[in-house]
Amino acid sequence: MTPDQRQRGSHRAEAMHPVCSLCCLLGVDYATLHLLTLLLPPNLLQTWVLGLVRLVILILGVRAVGGMSKLPPWLQGGPLLLSSAVLTLLVPCCATITAVLLPQASASLLHRSGHADLFFYSYFMTVTSTLVWHQLFLEDEDKEDVAESPASVWRLLDLLRPYGWRFLWVSVFLVLSSWSEMVLPSYTGKMTDWIQEKKDPSIFWNSIMAISLITLCSAVTEFLCDCVYNVTMSLVHTQTQGRLLHTILTQDITFFDTESTGDITSRLTSDITAMSEALSHDLSLLMWYLMRAIFLAIFMFSLSAKLMLFTMLCLLVITIVPKLSGAFSQSLAIKVQKSLSAANQVALEIFSNMKTVRSFANEDGECQRYESKLQDTYALNKVEAVSYGCNSVANSLSGLVLKVAILYFGGRLVTYGEVSGGELVSFVLYELQFTEAVEVLQRLYPDVKKAVGSSEKVFEYMDRTPQLPLPGNLKPAHLKGHIQFKNVTFSYPKRKDTLVLQDVSFDLREGQVTALVGACDAGKSTVVQLLLKFYQPQQGQILLDGRPVSEYDNEYYRKMVSVVSQEPVLTARPLDDNISYGLGHVSQSSMEKAAAAANAHDFISSMVDGYKTGAGQKGALLSGGQKQRVALARALVRDPMVLILDDVSSSLDSESELKIQSTIYDNPNKRTVLLISHRLNFVEKADHILVLEGGQIRESGRHEQLLAREGVYWRLWNKQHSTFHRENRDTEE
């Protein structure tokens, strides 16, 4: 025997050990009962002595079994001890109550207290009650340790509150349709009694007509119920998706820095869809079958309370079978999935290292390695097939046992005259539908719980408060455009330990062109993002005309402060819509004037559709220079008082650069211009130049003044021009 075989054998022995231990404990309990019955006279005291002695033995035996064997979690500790107490004290308690209430009947019970039939009946009742207790309570207690989801079912139902009057009609139609479906089994049972009693044939035909009419009404009400419900849920889906998008768009930029685009898109599409489908389909079926189950239970109870109670007990016990087999199948499915993953990993490794495999002529070796993994999967598949067959047989047998038990118990009730034959027929028909309803409810409830899981991130996004200051309402009629940075210190939320700007102070004066230059990672783009109110500085203030920028109305501020970014993004719309983006209707003359100032009018007019030409996804149908010029036109058409140009010359040719320079420096509107560029010849005409290095303003002044100082700006100028002359010399050679 190999070590693996010995290990598998030990696992099987360990798995079987609890069963053997419990069987041995059952034998000890029966031997104790039989022995004490022979030694003690049959009276009330004897039953209590028997019960207490058996209780002590079972408690000691349970502790011994728990110490030596691996019992299921729901049988460990308290549940098994409680079952032992119920088992041993059931007969003494019943005998005591019977002795007080029915003294004559107590003698028979006391005489049979040690018999085998009562012994096994007590075990049957105890096992049944333990299973029922586990089904109803212990599973919920096991789940109490799991943290409750913040998006509860009540939160989902809160989305439906505005449509309460519609769901009132849905409830009415649902009740009418469910009640109508109960008629057919009831009339079937009654007609069975009428046929047996050979009553008037007209009653039979009248019943057929009544059944047909009620069935038609049931179909109509079901149709109306489905129409109202599905239309309402489509409206809920649309409004929830729109509300989520609005919430996302109002978040701060930090939110988009920390959350990936894929996650956000998934919440807006996949999770909303999963949640809506569960609410529109699964919740609809859940309500439908729940209402049917309620009506079926009422009708079954009205036919025979005893038969109904017997059916419920049998159902609670039988549902243990698919639950146990389902747990085994689930664990087996996980093993199959892991085995397939291992095989796929081998295949992926082979394909990714194909040159190595070919160079060492190891194709056959890799095939054998892959096939060995597949053989492991095949072995698990065989076990899974047998498990599936056993599961199907177990479910079929459990259903058959339930039907046979109901027929047997119902037949006894018919024999005793407690129910009629027709009522038994009706009850069996109701029971078939009731079992189906219970199975559907058990299958749908986890799907509805998945909707709760899908909605967690949705509600998390909806409940998120943007980390932004309160929106301002300042909208002055006249704006000068004077911007001041006062001792601004800033670090990005994801890199709080790294200061990007340190105590930065400067002015952007109205009517002037201020250039901001510096090496990469100096903090130039951060200045732009702070001016656009994407982030808030940790220290210092940013003022516009002497007022903090946070006090201005957001829409007004975005119109007065416009930006052209280094890598502008256009939308998949016509060019005129891109230029007028966010402004609504803009006259054609205004767009053409702005496009001409941005040196974009000529190339737009040369296109077949002119300003109606589509830009493509993210402007993919345009070149880099064309996109930048369209983005500049988009900024100029707003006629802003503050214009921010973040390296707009990076993709421009010489001619376009000269035309845009004239647009910037002529400045007929006396707007404030912040010019950021890596090409220093583009900024040498600026009224004021700021040199940023290491997050601090190192120098400031005009072009000639900064060159005369021979500082940071002078080094940047010399480095750029030496590189330029070297590239020209290499080109000439």
Side-chain angles (χ1 to χ4, degrees), residues 414-447:
V414 171
T415 303
Y416 295 142
E418 296 189 23
V419 294
S420 66
E423 289 174 337
L424 179 59
V425 171
S426 297
F427 189 93
V428 171
L429 294 176
Y430 282 134
E431 184 274 329
L432 294 175
Q433 297 184 36
F434 184 77
T435 304
E436 179 188 3
V438 171
E439 291 175 353
V440 173
L441 291 174
Q442 286 182 330
R443 187 179 71 250
L444 289 176
Y445 181 67
D447 294 336

Side-chain angles (χ1 to χ4, degrees), residues 79-213:
L80 198 55
L81 294 176
L82 180 61
S83 300
S84 301
V86 172
L87 174 66
T88 54
L89 301 180
L90 179 63
V91 174
C93 290
C94 291
T96 303
I97 295 173
T98 306
V100 174
L101 299 178
L102 300 170
Q104 296 179 353
S106 64
S108 175
L109 180 59
L110 293 174
H111 180 72
R112 297 177 57 85
S113 60
H115 285 203
D117 56 349
L118 188 57
F119 173 81
F120 288 109
Y121 181 75
S122 300
Y123 264 95
F124 173 76
M125 293 299 297
T126 304
V127 171
T128 302
S129 61
T130 302
L131 292 175
V132 171
W133 179 264
H134 175 260
Q135 286 286 90
L136 297 179
F137 301 104
L138 291 185
E139 285 190 349
D140 295 334
E141 292 177 2
D142 294 338
K143 294 174 184 176
E144 286 180 358
D145 296 334
V146 182
E148 291 187 359
S149 169
S152 63
V153 176
W154 295 109
R155 183 68 190 275
L156 284 173
L157 295 179
D158 188 56
L159 295 175
L160 313 179
R161 186 180 300 174
Y163 313 98
W165 62 275
R166 294 194 181 196
F167 286 101
L168 179 61
W169 282 109
V170 169
S171 302
V172 172
F173 293 140
L174 182 62
V175 170
L176 291 176
S177 179
S178 300
W179 176 81
S180 301
E181 287 191 358
M182 303 299 107
V183 173
L184 182 59
S186 177
Y187 270 95
T188 302
K190 291 181 179 179
M191 286 190 291
T192 301
D193 289 337
W194 293 337
I195 292 172
Q196 290 178 347
E197 297 172 4
K198 298 181 180 180
K199 289 188 175 181
D200 186 1
S202 61
I203 299 178
F204 179 82
W205 293 109
N206 292 336
S207 300
I208 293 294
M209 294 299 295
I211 291 174
S212 303
L213 183 61

